[in-house]
Amino acid sequence: MGSNVQLVKNILKYTFGLVPIVAGLDKFTKILTNWSQYISEGFAGMLPFEASTFMIIIGVIEIIAGILVLTKTKLGAYVVSAWLVAIALTLIFSWSYVDVAVRDLVMAIAAFCLAKLSENNYSKANN
């Protein structure tokens, strides 16, 4: 059982470490998508700069979050979980891309599970 738990933990760790880094880097290259489309018009209108500049800032935050998951897994997983909930709530409040919001909430739950698996009391008892 312990080896299965460790396998799941490692899969989640590299998923929530690498995916935010890739998504963050893509905020600069826009190879995967035009990320600015996910910002509601109302929110974009409140920004003191272009939506694309905001997305670059988001990209830097996502890269840092991914690195945090890879280096300090428990803390990083909590950060990524909260980040995904914040993204989902933003999408829900603007009622755009609700399907993406639901997906992000599911991913937030998985990131939270990684954080719980990374707690010292769980790791020591089950390894």
Side-chain angles (χ1 to χ4, degrees):
M1 178 81 165
S3 64
N4 284 335
V5 170
Q6 189 61 43
L7 175 64
V8 169
K9 181 181 168 187
N10 285 335
I11 290 169
L12 290 171
K13 175 182 177 177
Y14 289 107
T15 298
F16 288 108
L18 297 176
V19 170
I21 292 170
V22 170
L25 290 172
D26 197 57
K27 301 300 189 291
F28 295 88
T29 63
K30 298 178 188 150
I31 293 171
L32 298 175
T33 191
N34 175 10
W35 295 95
S36 297
Q37 71 183 331
Y38 295 105
I39 300 175
S40 71
E41 290 181 21
F43 183 75
M46 296 184 327
L47 293 173
F49 38 72
E50 295 292 321
S52 59
T53 303
F54 179 72
M55 292 313 290
I56 288 174
I57 295 167
I58 296 300
V60 171
I61 293 168
E62 289 174 339
I63 292 166
I64 292 168
I67 291 169
L68 198 56
V69 170
L70 295 174
T71 58
K72 297 188 182 295
T73 304
K74 178 182 159 187
L75 174 62
Y78 280 125
V79 168
V80 168
S81 181
W83 184 255
L84 287 164
V85 169
I87 292 169
L89 289 175
T90 301
L91 294 172
I92 290 168
F93 289 143
S94 68
W95 205 249
S96 60
Y97 301 101
V98 177
D99 57 329
V100 175
V102 171
R103 182 210 56 202
D104 283 357
L105 288 173
V106 171
M107 290 180 4
I109 292 167
F112 179 80
C113 290
L114 171 60
K116 297 308 280 182
L117 285 172
S118 299
E119 289 183 355
N120 287 337
N121 58 351
Y122 186 85
S123 298
K124 289 177 184 173
N126 293 299
N127 284 333

